Amino acid sequence: MKVDFGVTTSRIRTWAGPVIINQIVFGLVGVDAQHVLGAVRDKARSCRTWVDGIGKPEREVKADVELPELEGVEGSYAFCSSFAEISPPVWGCEAFLVRGDLVVGLRVVSGDEPTARQHLSEVARRAARTLAEVG
């Protein structure tokens, strides 16, 4: 399923500390946020490994990462993937939250998967609270 229509405006923020957190917020016109969420879910579920470029090591993908209950959102999905080409290797866990015509993408990057997952849960809770406050 391709998301190849519509118009979007986005804003990106990054925080660095013990983990790196990236947030991107898309405002959509002409495409349903639930459709975007479904496309992300389908792609993550269809991929177990992938290579970012020729000569790079395989990245492992873990689909269907559990998120806490997120009040105020209409849907969410998360997955994790390794960044094996970085030394030492790191993990990135990503969550997508939708409400109305907004999609919030979150990524937490850490030295290990359990830490990335733990921080992703908290970041997703905070993002959901903020998303719920949007008109």
Side-chain angles (χ1 to χ4, degrees):
M1 182 178 328
K2 289 177 69 177
V3 180
D4 55 359
F5 56 89
V7 177
T8 181
T9 300
S10 65
R11 296 291 179 258
I12 301 171
R13 298 193 291 181
T14 301
W15 295 268
V19 298
I20 297 170
I21 301 169
N22 301 108
Q23 176 192 48
I24 186 165
V25 179
F26 295 94
L28 305 171
V29 176
V31 62
D32 180 65
Q34 291 289 345
H35 175 75
V36 172
L37 187 64
V40 168
R41 181 183 302 114
D42 291 347
K43 264 304 198 201
R45 287 178 176 168
S46 71
C47 184
R48 295 291 176 243
T49 62
W50 65 285
V51 178
D52 190 35
I54 297 173
K56 302 255 182 163
E58 276 190 344
R59 291 182 176 185
E60 179 183 358
V61 177
K62 295 186 178 178
D64 300 328
V65 167
E66 187 175 330
L67 288 172
E69 174 100 18
L70 300 173
E71 291 187 34
V73 301
E74 296 167 358
S76 63
Y77 182 75
F79 66 92
C80 294
S81 62
S82 64
F83 290 80
E85 69 274 13
I86 297 173
S87 182
V90 298
W91 278 83
C93 291
E94 299 184 46
F96 293 83
L97 317 178
V98 298
R99 181 166 187 253
D101 61 357
L102 295 176
V103 177
V104 176
L106 305 163
R107 176 189 289 158
V108 176
V109 178
S110 177
D112 61 84
E113 182 186 3
T115 301
R117 282 183 186 235
Q118 175 188 352
H119 284 277
L120 183 67
S121 290
E122 180 57 31
V123 169
R125 273 193 211 96
R126 291 179 185 212
R129 282 195 300 266
T130 301
L131 192 56
E133 294 173 2
V134 176

